[in-house]
Structures are given as structure tokens and as C-alpha cells.
Amino acid sequence: DTAVSQTPKYLVTQMGNDKSIKCEQNLGHDTMYWYKQDSKKFLKIMFSYNNKELIINETVPNRFSPKSPDKAHLNLHINSLELGDSAVYFCASSQVAGNTIYFGEGSWLTVV
Amino acid sequence: AQSVTQPDIHITVSEGASLELRCNYSYGATPYLFWYVQSPGQGLQLLLKYFSGDTLVQGIKGFEAEFKRSQSSFNLRKPSVHWSDAAEYFCAVGASISGSARQLTFGSGTQLTVLP
């Protein structure tokens, strides 16, 4: 069973559209994250939720809105997509007592 | 704020040769250090991690890394590289934010090419 799973893996969409990426973890972790990897492969944190509460909210356009219905799910909704949003988005999770962050397979978003 | 530097953007080695990927970090306290690997079109897989204790840590796939506080380094090594090791390697430093939230700061990555 995949520990951190994201859907869809690939997404091609037009500018101006609204899209969502879903993430689920079956590790029983308390904290979930969204990271963005740009075209130069640089990875940067976007958001972190702990038990459905927003903990980290980096400088991200407010077109990006994370939603955590429960501690096993953290979805990313993006409004009015722009060309610059094209990237790989990684979901991740970690446990209270641990320091290791486990990543999903990534979602490749292409905005055309 | 923490930072990570991977000075080598691209490294090429022959299969069977030894490998060392460099990583330097900046962090005010005792760091949590990680190495992740990303194969083409794939996600991030944890290779190994250092939290405390023995400064030489063993990971998966025959990789090891050594934490050197005096040099602020956490270099990744493998004695004999296999063609399947060709991938992008990321060093990261982890900082506690609140509760169980951890913020990873990644280096810019090192692309490894393995020649037959």
C-alpha cells in the first residue's frame, strides 16, 4: 500500500482554470505538507497542517488554498491557474514523535 | 534561517566507481539532516537521516553519510555505484516549527550520471 498517495499524477490544464490535487496518507501521521518543485528542481515548502490546523503558510499566492478535511487528507486547490504554476507538487507527512518526512510520488502540473 | 548548499550541480562517474556527493548546511542548533533521491519522473525517496548519535549513518541501497559538525557537512558516499543509482540527489536540513511540524530546507540537488 502506498504510504502517501497523490492524485492526479499528471495534470495538463489551461490558464485561468481551477484545479485540485488530492493527497492521502495511511501512516497515521499528524502533520501533512505541500512542497513545490520548480523547473530547476528546487524544492520549497508551501503549507503544513497539523491535525487539520494550518501551521506553516509560506509566501504563496492566495490562489493556492489547502484544505484538510481530516488529518489523513490534505488537498491543494489552485484558482485561476497561471503559466508559472507549472511545477511538480509533492505532498508529504510526518509523525509527532518522528522527524522524518515521507513524500508522495508527486503531481506534475502543466499549465498551457 | 537554515540553508543547504550542494556545490556540485552534476557529477558523472563510471559504474563500479566510488561516489561522494557534498552537502553543507547552515543551522543554529543541532540539525536534522537527510538525503533524498529522486529518479526521473518519480517522487522523493529517503536514503538516510541523521538526528543524533553515531555520526556515520547507513542508509538504503548501500549509501552512507557522515555528519561533520566542524565542517557543517553531511556528505553522501557509496563505495561502488550501480547504473540504477543515476538520479537527482537532494540534501535537506530539518527544523522544528511547532508540534510535530517539521520544515525541510532542501539543497538545489546534484544530478548523478553513471557511465557504463
Side-chain angles (χ1 to χ4, degrees):
Chain A
D1 286 342
T2 303
V4 182
S5 58
Q6 307 176 219
T7 55
K9 183 163 184 175
Y10 300 102
L11 181 57
V12 180
T13 187
Q14 292 186 325
M15 283 175 55
N17 284 349
D18 302 339
K19 291 294 177 185
S20 292
I21 305 172
K22 296 184 177 181
C23 178
E24 175 182 6
Q25 55 94 4
N26 61 6
L27 297 167
H29 289 172
D30 299 271
T31 304
M32 296 185 71
Y33 312 80
W34 279 107
Y35 279 79
K36 179 181 180 180
Q37 185 177 44
D38 63 22
S39 58
K40 296 184 179 180
K41 298 196 174 180
F42 183 67
L43 280 151
K44 186 173 168 58
I45 192 168
M46 300 173 68
F47 303 103
S48 172
Y49 270 74
N50 178 250
N51 281 321
K52 302 194 298 178
E53 179 184 350
L54 183 64
I55 298 296
I56 298 171
N57 186 357
E58 291 295 298
T59 307
V60 176
N62 57 16
R63 298 181 294 103
F64 290 78
S65 54
K67 287 185 172 52
S68 182
D70 55 61
K71 72 174 189 178
H73 295 84
L74 180 61
N75 304 323
L76 183 65
H77 188 75
I78 315 171
N79 290 326
S80 304
L81 279 156
E82 301 176 357
L83 292 176
D85 297 332
S86 296
V88 184
Y89 293 87
F90 285 100
C91 179
S93 70
S94 66
Q95 175 65 303
V96 171
N99 296 295
T100 301
I101 297 181
Y102 295 90
F103 286 83
E105 293 287 302
S107 295
W108 272 253
L109 172 65
T110 302
V111 182
V112 296
Chain B
Q2 63 269 25
S3 65
V4 178
T5 302
Q6 293 181 247
D8 303 307
I9 297 174
H10 193 184
I11 284 184
T12 300
V13 299
S14 297
E15 191 169 16
S18 62
L19 171 71
E20 181 169 33
L21 302 182
R22 296 184 290 165
C23 172
N24 293 96
Y25 69 90
S26 172
Y27 186 59
T30 299
Y32 303 134
L33 294 163
F34 306 84
W35 275 99
Y36 286 87
V37 60
Q38 184 179 25
S39 298
Q42 299 298 313
L44 290 161
Q45 182 180 23
L46 179 68
L47 280 177
L48 47 78
K49 58 191 177 185
Y50 172 79
F51 295 156
S52 64
D54 192 347
T55 56
L56 184 64
V57 293
Q58 302 297 319
I60 62 171
K61 303 184 179 185
F63 285 93
E64 66 178 25
E66 186 171 13
F67 170 60
K68 293 185 178 180
R69 185 186 299 276
S70 60
Q71 299 177 19
S72 297
S73 69
F74 189 57
N75 294 347
L76 182 71
R77 301 193 294 249
K78 186 170 185 178
S80 177
V81 170
H82 188 263
W83 65 266
S84 61
D85 293 325
E88 188 90 21
Y89 291 80
F90 293 94
C91 181
V93 61
S96 297
I97 303 301
S98 67
S100 68
R102 303 286 183 265
Q103 181 167 344
L104 284 182
T105 299
F106 284 88
S108 53
T110 297
Q111 178 71 45
L112 174 65
T113 298
V114 181
L115 300 177

